[in-house]
Amino acid sequence: MPKRKPTDDEIREAAYHMWLDDGAPEGGDQAYWFRAEAALSAAKPKAAPRAKAAATKAPARKAPAKRAPKA
């Protein structure tokens, strides 16, 4: 399966979190962008959600048998 390219929004969010984790230093925005892009590109692509199997209905419970009245 080919790797998909991360979107700008995904890269921006990852770079922002990396920047925060480093203490929010001044400058270095491009370095964080490229670091985030590399990290996201190396990550495994997310699998597509699987289709849910058709729900199977449980068999209906049988009603208890009626007892004859005691004499």
Side-chain angles (χ1 to χ4, degrees):
M1 175 180 275
K3 292 183 182 181
R4 76 172 182 84
K5 185 176 188 263
T7 66
D8 284 353
D9 287 337
E10 292 169 330
I11 297 168
R12 185 178 301 111
E13 185 175 350
Y16 175 71
H17 289 288
M18 290 176 178
W19 176 74
L20 286 178
D21 290 344
D22 287 349
E26 200 168 315
D29 52 333
Q30 285 185 341
Y32 284 104
W33 180 275
F34 293 128
R35 206 170 95 192
E37 186 176 30
L40 291 172
S41 294
K44 283 186 173 181
K46 292 181 181 178
R50 293 184 181 186
K52 291 184 179 182
T56 56
K57 196 171 184 180
R61 298 180 99 185
K62 292 183 179 179
K66 293 185 179 179
R67 295 184 187 178
K70 290 187 180 180

